[in-house]
Each structure stands twice: as C-alpha cells, then as structure tokens.
Amino acid sequence: MSRATQARTGNSTADTTGTPGTTDTGTTGTTAPDDPACPTGPAGKREGVRWGRAAALAVTVVCLLYAPVAMTGLWPFARPGAPSLGQWLLGRSVSPGYAATLIQDRAVPYARSLGPLIVHSVLGGLLMLLGPAQLLTAVRRRIRLHRTLGILYAAAVYVSMAGVALYLIRTRPEEAFSGAAFWVVLATLLTGTVLSVTFGVLTAVAGLPELHQRWMLLCYAYLMTAPLLRIEWGALPALYPGLTLQEINLVALMPLGTLVVLGALLASRAMDRRHNHPFVSGRWWPAPVLAAAYAVAVAGLAWLGHGFAGHGTPGRRLLLAYAVPYVVLLAVPQVRALRAARRDAVWAREEWHTHLVAMCLAPAFSAGTAVMLQRAMDVDELTALTAGAGLSAGFLAFSAHILVGARVLYGRRAHGRRTGPSASRTATAATAAPGLEREAS
C-alpha cells in the first residue's frame, strides 16, 4: 500500500516528522503530544490554528481586494481620464488632489516604459490571486493543481519582474517616485523576488519541500509590499497631515520590509509546527553569540539614529517609522524562541534564533549601506540612510533563509553519511510539505 493510500485510510502510524500541523490521516488536527517531533498539545495547537487561519484570511482578503487595484493602476497613464480603482480609493480616503499627485509626478517617467509597466501591473494582480490559491492547494494536498499553479506563478513572477527591470533601467534614480531611495529599494525588491522564486523552484525540483515552502513564502512576502504600501498611502496622512504623497511614500518605506519579512517568518513557522527536525540538532547560536548580536543591534540603532536625527524633523520622522516596527521584529522571534526552548523544540528554537541574529544586524547594515550608497551614487546622507533602512530587512531575511537551508542540507548530508543514502532519502520524504509526499508514493 502506498503512503498516500495509508494516509487516506488512516491505517498508518503517526510519522514523527510528518506534514507540519497534520495528523497521520492527512487532515489538520492534533498530533500525538508524546511525539518529540510533533507540535504542541491540543490546546496550544488549537490556539495557533485559530491565529493562523485568521491571518491567512486577512492576507487573502487584502490580495483579492488589491488585485483589481494593481491591474487598473496604469490605465490613466495609457489613456488620460481612464478609471483607476486605486486612484479612486486614494482620493476618497485622503483627497482627490493627493491622489492626483501620483499621476502628475509619474507621467513622464512612466511614458518611457509604459508597455513593460502595464505587463508588470496586470501580472502583479494575477500574482495576488495565485498566492492564496497556492497556499490552499498545498494545505488541501491538491498536488497536481499546486504544481500547475506553481509553474504559472513562477512564470508570472519572472515576466512581471522583467517589466520592472526595464523601467528601472530606463529611469534615473533621481527620477523615481520619492527619488533615489525608492529606486534603490525597488531594485532590491526586484532582485530578492526573482532570487527567492528561483530558489523555490530549485528546492522543489531537488525534492526539498520544507525549504521550497520557505522560499515561496518569502517571495510572496516581497510581493506583498505593493498592497501594504498602498494601504500606508491611505492611512499615514491621518498621522502626518500636510505631507505630500512623495514624503508619505518615504515614511511608508521604513516599516515595509520589516512587516513583510516578519509575516513570512510567522507563516513559515505556522506551517511547520514540528518541535524537532530529523537532520538538525544542537544549538546553532549559543548565549554569547545572541548577546553579541543584541549588542550589535543596539550599537547599530544608535549609529542609524544619530544619522537620521541630524536631519531635523524629516529625519526623526523616518527614524520613528523604522525603529518601532524593528523592535517588534526583534521581540517576536525572541519570545517565540523562548517558548520553543521551554518545550525542548530545538528545530523551532534555532530557526527563530537564526532570523533573530540576522535581524540584529539590520541597523548596522543599514548605516553601512548608506555610507556606500553616498559614495557610489553621489546622493545626500538622508537619501542614503532612507534607502539603507528600507532594504535591510528584506536583504537580511534572504540571508537568514540561506543559513537555514544550508543548515538543513548539511544535516541531511551528515545523516546520509551515518545511515546510508537509502535511510537519508526515507527521512527526507518524511519531512515533505503538505501534498508533496503523495506524488512520491
């Protein structure tokens, strides 16, 4: 009997490294609390499932609402006076003049790349719909549909990002919306999105579903910067009345990377609720390393804060928009790692700590990047600081995913040397993400 048949009949024994958050029947439920590689007991799991479902529903609603906004966003540039849902919503939430600023400011730069940008916006709307569909097919174990949609998703990402690349090539940094800082962050997001979906495809082909899942969630998090930025455009004028849309855009840029990478990390851990991993053990980040990481975070934040504070009210406004979500970004992995340590959940604890250590480097990385940008692009200090702070979280989250993947691959190779290739392949199959093990059976 194949593994898929066993899962459907419920006659197989619980797999100690089975699908995250599922029972041996292949449906979401409570795994045995005495299994060292299983998630928490019934009460803890029900709470996690409730929060996870609420978050997934919220993201799905945002994506469904934003898809038509993305698809119609460039209509006024192609035909003046054409309806644009995003502009209409922005005009109603703030003011028509505030929304009209975007059209007036972008008319000339967009005209040089209107075709590629229209392709980008239409496919961006499609990607907003494909993301929740991919998540649902993975959870429901519709493997053939999941793979078909995955191919479409990856192709849409590559073509959509090619449109952005052409726009960035044809647009000087100072001509970008809000100036060179936004151009630099857009280029970084473009690179991160393309690389993350590429790693997602490669890990799927290599039969590494748990790593594939993490890369695709990170890729979608990068894409979610688009709807979140528009939400900030509509919400921030209530906090900062009198600022132009260009100024609001820079303020919105500060927490953007922090919010999406935190969301990707929470989603990854929610979908992989195992306490332990068959290939990973021990402590990757001992207490002295964590203490040193926090010291670097404090020193880097002081360095970055000093730079921003030297630019008066605009600098302090940007610093506040960066620092508050950044503290949250550090607090969440720390709290989750402590909870995992109390449950002797080595895999969960070390993954939280890996991302925590990476994010502790963010302020120093931002300040150091700003110095390089000033010299390489000949921009002013505030612009360089804004760009450095805007790209740091996304860059370091990508690096943390590389570290997690390298640690899993190293453990897998070491396990294969100890037990032989056959046992290693069996253990790898047991860690499959939802639905992937069915295709192999």
Side-chain angles (χ1 to χ4, degrees), residues 374-432:
Q374 272 188 277
R375 296 176 179 176
M377 300 182 66
D378 193 25
V379 296
D380 62 90
E381 184 185 38
L382 184 59
T383 297
L385 287 169
T386 304
L391 65 85
S392 61
F395 182 91
L396 291 170
F398 187 93
S399 303
H401 277 70
I402 291 286
L403 288 175
V404 170
R407 184 64 182 85
V408 170
L409 292 176
Y410 173 80
R412 180 187 183 195
R413 177 169 295 185
H415 180 85
R417 286 197 300 265
R418 291 193 303 267
T419 61
S422 177
S424 182
R425 284 194 297 269
T426 301
T428 301
T431 65

Side-chain angles (χ1 to χ4, degrees), residues 4 9 23 29 36 94 120 134 169 174 187 194 197 199-200 207 210-211 221 290 292 294 296 310 339 358 364 417 420:
T9 59
T23 62
V94 185
H120 165 72
Q134 277 294 83
I169 291 171
E174 61 271 17
V194 170
V197 77
F199 277 106
E210 57 190 339
L211 300 184
L290 294 176
Y294 270 115
V296 171
R339 291 179 181 175
R417 286 197 300 265

Side-chain angles (χ1 to χ4, degrees), residues 121-195:
S121 64
V122 172
L123 290 179
L126 176 63
L127 287 167
M128 289 294 103
L129 302 176
L130 287 175
Q134 277 294 83
L135 179 63
L136 182 62
T137 55
V139 172
R140 296 296 183 186
R141 301 184 174 215
R142 304 294 178 85
I143 183 60
R144 295 187 187 279
L145 180 58
H146 182 77
R147 285 187 171 178
T148 301
L149 292 179
I151 294 171
L152 178 60
Y153 178 94
V157 168
Y158 288 129
V159 177
S160 177
M161 293 302 110
V164 179
L166 287 174
Y167 163 72
L168 292 174
I169 291 171
R170 295 172 180 177
T171 304
R172 295 193 303 271
E174 61 271 17
E175 291 181 324
F177 191 56
S178 299
F182 195 58
W183 189 96
V184 171
V185 174
L186 280 179
T188 306
L189 278 173
L190 161 67
T191 305
T193 304
V194 170
L195 288 178

Side-chain angles (χ1 to χ4, degrees), residues 291-331:
Y294 270 115
V296 171
V298 172
L301 197 56
W303 181 14
L304 192 65
H306 176 74
F308 274 120
H311 294 275
T313 300
R316 290 191 293 271
R317 184 167 55 231
L318 293 172
L319 175 61
L320 181 65
Y322 173 84
V324 173
Y326 175 70
V327 171
V328 175
L329 178 60
L330 294 188

Side-chain angles (χ1 to χ4, degrees), residues 182 224 372 411:
F182 195 58
M224 284 296 294
M372 291 189 295

